[in-house]
Amino acid sequence: DTGVSQDPRHKITKRGQNVTFRCDPISEHNRLYWYRQTLGQGPEFLTYFQNEAQLEKSRLLSDRFSAERPKGSFSTLEIQRTEQGDSAMYLCASSLRQGSYGNTIYFGEGSWLTVV
Amino acid sequence: SQQGEEDPQALSIQEGENATMNCSYKTSINNLQWYRQNSGRGLVHLILIRSNEREKHSGRLRVTLDTSKKSSSLLITASRAADTASYFCATDTGGGNKLTFGTGTQLKVEL
């Protein structure tokens, strides 16, 4: 049983460049989440998908950020015109929607972004 | 915004001792989940406790939940150096099963 896979693990980019991260969730998981984590803080929710539908976006997700999950499987998170404040670890997670009390959410290893 | 607050922010103990971390939150929840994070790595799920449960065990882990006080605790018994990590509580308030994390407790277990 493979876990949540993220690529690339590390990315260094110059300010103003675009970057894209990919996430492959656990197979059969219909929910996929993106979080952002800065040093010394807990992860903060960015957005989530149920199958291919993007159901919620945080106010943290500015217009420069776009996430897709075109076939309800893998997802991409693109950041356009990167800024130094975008430097963080971007975490992807997935879960299986069932039950009324929610389910375990499994996280990937994260993608570190450094904007120089 | 962070819903949960872990206490203490940092904890240093000797191997073999027990470690207790507390988490407080603000709104009603469906469940509360504890995660471990080693430096620079992703989050590893430890345990989920539902809002209708009061206590759960998993190996050396014991989690309690008091919904009236909006608080939870994580107990790690007989700690090991490999338990050194940051520990986060995260609450699921429903509406999509997304989690809101606290600021974490940094646990250091010394030999």
Side-chain angles (χ1 to χ4, degrees), chain A residues 27-47:
Chain A
S27 60
E28 298 177 355
H29 278 191
N30 50 11
R31 284 187 171 168
L32 186 148
Y33 309 80
W34 286 99
Y35 286 77
R36 182 173 70 188
Q37 185 179 23
T38 54
L39 284 175
Q41 299 295 314
E44 294 179 293
F45 169 79
L46 292 178
T47 188

Side-chain angles (χ1 to χ4, degrees), chain A residues 9 31 33 35 37 40-45 48 56 89 91 95 100-105 107-109 112, chain B residues 1-2 30-31 33 35 37 40-43 45 48 50-52 88 92 95-103:
Chain A
R9 291 290 320 281
R31 284 187 171 168
Y33 309 80
Y35 286 77
Q37 185 179 23
Q41 299 295 314
E44 294 179 293
F45 169 79
Y48 93 96
E56 187 172 345
M89 181 162 68
L91 290 156
S95 72
S100 57
Y101 288 97
N103 287 296
T104 298
I105 296 180
F107 283 79
E109 286 289 332
W112 279 101
Chain B
S1 64
Q2 307 271 330
N30 278 356
N31 67 65
Q33 305 187 38
Y35 290 84
Q37 186 176 39
R41 304 295 299 273
L43 296 162
H45 186 264
L48 178 155
R50 297 177 174 180
S51 59
N52 63 347
F88 293 92
D92 173 2
N97 195 204
K98 69 178 188 287
L99 297 175
T100 303
F101 284 82
T103 51

